[in-house]
Amino acid sequence: MTATTLRHLVDGEWIEGGGERLTDVNPSRPSDIVAEGTGASSADVDRAFRAARAAFDGWRRAPARERAGVLLRAADVIAAHRDQWGRELAREEGKTLLEGTAEVAHAANILRYHAQEAERASGEVYESPTPGERILVVRRPVGVIGAITPFNFPISIPAWKLAPALVWGNTIVWKPATTVPLLAVRFAEALEQAGLPRGVLNLVNGTAAVGEAIVSHADVDAVTFTGSTRVGRLIAAQLAARGIPFQGELGGKNASLVLADAELDLAVEQVAIGAFRAAGQKCTATSRVVVDDAVADEFLARLAERTSGMVVGDALADGVEVGPVVDGMARGRVAAAIGRAHTYARPVVAPDLYREGPLAEGYFIPPSIFELSHDDPGELWREELFGPVVGVRRASSAAEGFALVNDSEYGLSAAVFTTDLGRALAAIDDIRVGVVHINSASAGADLHVPFGGNRGSGLGPKEQGAVARDFFTETATVYLKG
């Protein structure tokens, strides 16, 4: 396969960057170069902000239906390229071909959903205590948005950030993750082909220095970010000192709780899917499991059998369930954590790392399960690893299970498996996360409902659904008297 030349979209022009050299490789076969070129320079970022500021007034004044029409046409472009771009996604990011193709289709649907804002209410009318007066609450775009997106959903996360920003009349300077520049180019191409005016969206690929240039830029009005909790908090603190709004979808250490009355076949399958699809590289992936003592041995035996039978391989190959992690740094980090886990935890499924054969070249990690002690559960219980590794603890009751699920600095997602309605309702009340799944995998979020976590998993307004407008608009209360 040939390598694509990396480009940046700045002020309506596709340009070569003036920054450092970038090489985008296939994590299944790192000798396969997907894309290469130069990243954006600080001068490129400056030009992008000037373009976004210049385009803002015209874009915000465009009728909402006109802005929505761009999203609808872009959705058609994305859907028409679903198979091609899904294949490129699998090649670039390492997600399986089935998952990659589904993600591209999902991105098109996200654009279609937010395009419907043109048909929904955009404000409210209130009665006034003053005769002859009405009180209106109207929404206005914030301005120039800095967007920083991660590698693990290289087209759907940009879609759910950029679509509401655009439909509400904002302009954007966007930096995708360094490891997935090609899908970012494809997404920008779709919007360009749909007739997005020049300067409204500016794509600047590059390393962390480009993200820092966006966050620190004098012309940024708000920043939306998905990434680690550590980096997100640093960005939030920097922006808060300047009074700039921040939206952060941050880390997760999500638990699945299997109670004694659970349907075990369902629980096993959903835990395996939640933990190991996308090689565990989802912010909502299951990385902790709590299981009732009464069914723990049987559940672990079944989960071990399911996990051991998972097909690991090239993301583009048929029948593969688990592809590689995204790069060599990720593989090294996860492999080191697995090595340390052998010193403090009982391996349930822990195959040796791939040292020979076709999987040795790529960034593959075999799906692994460790049972942790109650006295010192270790880093597999506390730290976000972002790989196909699960730590398991036993609970003596539902109450203890709820407490163990909450035993984390994070609060993004959790799954509870039970056939008892009372326990399901208790889980909704007592588990402190932003997304609760009852009898389904912890990984997963629909486009029409709010998404986000609490505590160490999120800062600022939630994403997706109708609440997406909350970050990308500001309200004005208008007293209107004839």
Side-chain angles (χ1 to χ4, degrees):
M1 297 183 185
T2 58
T4 300
T5 300
L6 284 182
R7 300 171 298 155
H8 315 268
L9 181 62
V10 177
D11 198 14
E13 298 179 359
W14 288 100
I15 65 169
E16 292 187 12
E20 58 191 287
R21 189 76 182 169
L22 298 178
T23 303
D24 174 24
V25 304
N26 177 352
S28 294
R29 291 181 290 109
S31 58
D32 173 30
I33 298 176
V34 177
E36 56 187 344
T38 51
S41 65
S42 59
D44 296 326
V45 175
D46 281 338
R47 182 184 169 195
F49 272 101
R50 288 196 301 271
R53 181 61 67 195
F56 174 60
D57 199 50
W59 183 242
R60 75 180 178 89
R61 292 182 186 280
R65 184 166 291 185
E66 181 179 322
R67 298 194 299 262
V70 172
L71 296 190
L72 291 172
R73 292 191 295 273
D76 290 342
V77 172
I78 292 169
H81 290 85
R82 182 196 65 181
D83 292 340
Q84 176 195 338
W85 293 359
R87 191 169 188 84
E88 289 178 338
L89 193 158
R91 181 183 171 212
E92 177 178 59
E93 192 263 348
K95 195 169 290 178
T96 66
L97 183 58
L98 184 64
E99 291 176 282
T101 303
E103 182 180 336
V104 173
H106 186 58
N109 288 335
I110 291 169
L111 266 62
R112 293 186 179 112
Y113 173 84
H114 288 290
Q116 297 307 311
E117 290 294 355
E119 313 300 333
R120 300 184 183 114
S122 62
E124 297 111 22
V125 179
Y126 292 86
E127 294 295 329
S128 169
T130 302
E133 181 179 71
R134 289 291 184 270
I135 302 173
L136 314 180
V137 176
V138 299
R139 289 185 177 269
R140 304 180 297 208
V142 171
V144 178
I145 306 295
I148 301 173
T149 57
F151 76 85
N152 57 332
F153 288 92
I155 194 166
S156 64
I157 288 180
W160 80 50
K161 290 181 183 293
L162 274 53
L166 290 171
V167 81
W168 283 101
N170 299 279
T171 57
I172 300 164
V173 177
W174 169 36
K175 178 207 172 307
T178 309
T179 48
V180 288
L182 179 56
L183 264 293
V185 168
R186 297 300 186 228
F187 188 66
E189 286 176 340
L191 287 163
E192 181 192 40
Q193 291 172 34
L196 189 70
R198 65 183 297 158
V200 173
L201 173 65
N202 300 273
L203 166 65
V204 283
N205 283 294
T207 61
V210 175
E212 291 165 4
I214 290 173
V215 171
S216 62
H217 204 278
D219 225 7
V220 72
D221 292 313
V223 173
T224 179
F225 167 86
T226 296
S228 73
T229 299
R230 181 187 67 82
V231 173
R233 285 174 171 172
L234 289 173
I235 294 173
Q238 181 180 341
L239 293 171
R242 296 157 55 203
I244 294 173
F246 174 73
Q247 178 187 58
E249 198 279 287
L250 308 178
K253 192 66 181 172
N254 312 294
S256 287
L257 172 61
V258 182
L259 295 175
D261 55 70
E263 184 182 330
L264 289 190
D265 286 342
L266 172 68
V268 165
E269 184 62 21
Q270 293 299 303
V271 168
I273 288 171
F276 302 127
R277 276 191 179 168
Q281 298 175 123
K282 297 180 181 181
C283 54
T284 55
T286 299
S287 58
R288 298 184 297 142
V289 174
V290 180
V291 57
D292 193 291
D293 267 327
V295 294
D297 289 341
E298 183 178 0
F299 172 80
L300 284 174
R302 294 191 195 183
L303 182 62
E305 181 179 8
R306 176 69 176 94
T307 302
S308 298
M310 282 190 151
V311 180
V312 180
D314 190 312
L316 292 171
D318 292 337
V320 168
E321 294 178 274
V322 183
V325 293
V326 71
D327 60 19
M329 185 178 298
R331 180 182 61 178
R333 184 186 68 251
V334 176
I338 289 174
R340 291 189 294 270
H342 280 278
T343 68
Y344 64 83
R346 180 181 75 85
V348 178
V349 177
D352 292 337
L353 297 176
Y354 305 110
R355 304 295 186 190
E356 56 185 22
L359 298 185
E361 179 193 356
Y363 304 134
F364 295 97
I365 296 286
S368 303
I369 303 169
F370 289 86
E371 185 170 2
L372 310 176
S373 75
H374 279 275
D375 295 332
D376 183 13
E379 67 180 310
L380 289 189
W381 187 257
R382 303 286 181 206
E383 298 180 18
E384 184 179 37
L385 191 55
F386 233 54
V389 186
V390 169
V392 181
R393 291 176 71 176
R394 300 179 184 230
S396 59
S397 65
E400 184 184 10
F402 291 163
L404 287 173
V405 171
N406 287 331
D407 181 27
S408 174
E409 68 172 294
Y410 300 102
L412 181 53
S413 180
V416 178
F417 295 91
T418 180
T419 55
D420 185 305
L421 178 59
R423 286 175 172 170
L425 294 173
I428 295 169
D429 287 339
D430 296 342
I431 291 179
R432 297 180 59 208
V433 296
V435 181
V436 180
H437 290 263
I438 306 297
N439 294 323
S440 60
S442 68
D446 286 306
L447 58 84
H448 63 297
V449 291
F451 175 79
N454 53 43
R455 295 179 285 157
S457 292
L459 288 170
K462 296 290 194 290
E463 299 185 294
Q464 303 209 73
V467 301
R469 71 180 185 174
D470 292 344
F471 183 71
F472 297 111
T473 62
E474 56 189 19
T475 61
T477 302
V478 181
Y479 291 84
L480 182 64
K481 190 170 183 178

